[in-house]
């Protein structure tokens, strides 16, 4: 059974960098052909895809967030991480990590429970 768990601070000040980690159990993040995704949901809005790192370490970012987003992984810990720089209150959201299976983009089979991040001074 695959489980994903987000972790990180729940409160970030404007202009700082938001850093989250997703710890995966029940599967390796290097298993072909899965991809590991960051998604967020703003209050009263829909889901926003932020970026993905696949089993081979290839990374793609949302064009709208690319300049501020960095995704990385630590295969020894079976974790992948998100950094979002220069945050503003508009980055307040619930952040999720999820697993995508090839062919990608058709849906996510496992999700973390989500972690709420508030950007406020």
């Amino acid at each position: 059974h695959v489980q994903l768990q987000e972790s990180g601070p729940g409160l970030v000040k404007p202009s700082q960098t938001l850093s989250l980690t997703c710890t995966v159990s029940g599967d390796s993040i290097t298993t072909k052909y899965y991809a590991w995704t960051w998604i967020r949901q703003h209050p009263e809005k829909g889901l926003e895809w932020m970026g993905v790192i696949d089993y081979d370490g290839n990374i793609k970012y949302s064009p709208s967030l690319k300049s501020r987003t960095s995704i990385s992984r630590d295969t020894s810990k079976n974790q992948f991480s998100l950094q979002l720089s220069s945050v503003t209150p508009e980055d307040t959201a619930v952040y999720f990590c999820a697993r995508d299976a090839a062919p990608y983009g058709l849906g996510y089979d496992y999700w973390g429970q989500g972690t709420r991040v508030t950007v406020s001074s």
Side-chain angles (χ1 to χ4, degrees):
H1 180 62
V2 180
Q3 292 184 304
L4 294 86
Q5 178 67 57
E6 305 91 348
S7 59
L11 179 64
V12 182
K13 293 184 178 180
S15 81
Q16 291 187 340
T17 296
L18 180 163
S19 296
L20 298 174
T21 296
C22 183
T23 301
V24 179
S25 59
D27 187 21
S28 169
I29 61 173
T30 62
T31 299
K32 296 179 178 179
Y33 295 94
Y34 292 111
W36 307 89
T37 310
W38 286 102
I39 299 163
R40 68 181 181 179
Q41 185 168 25
H42 296 91
E44 300 180 4
K45 293 184 180 179
L47 297 172
E48 179 182 16
W49 182 87
M50 302 183 69
V52 63
I53 183 166
D54 74 7
Y55 64 94
D56 213 22
N58 300 302
I59 302 169
K60 292 184 179 179
Y61 298 109
S62 165
S64 64
L65 296 171
K66 185 175 182 179
S67 64
R68 300 195 292 130
T69 307
S70 177
I71 294 175
S72 60
R73 68 178 184 174
D74 185 335
T75 56
S76 68
K77 296 180 179 179
N78 214 38
Q79 296 174 333
F80 63 107
S81 298
L82 170 75
Q83 290 193 316
L84 183 65
S85 63
S86 304
V87 297
T88 72
E90 286 66 42
D91 294 309
T92 294
V94 178
Y95 287 75
F96 297 91
C97 55
R99 190 180 81 167
D100 195 2
Y104 304 130
L106 300 181
Y108 306 97
D109 55 357
Y110 291 99
W111 291 73
Q113 64 183 21
T115 186
R116 184 177 304 276
V117 178
T118 300
V119 179
S120 175
S121 56

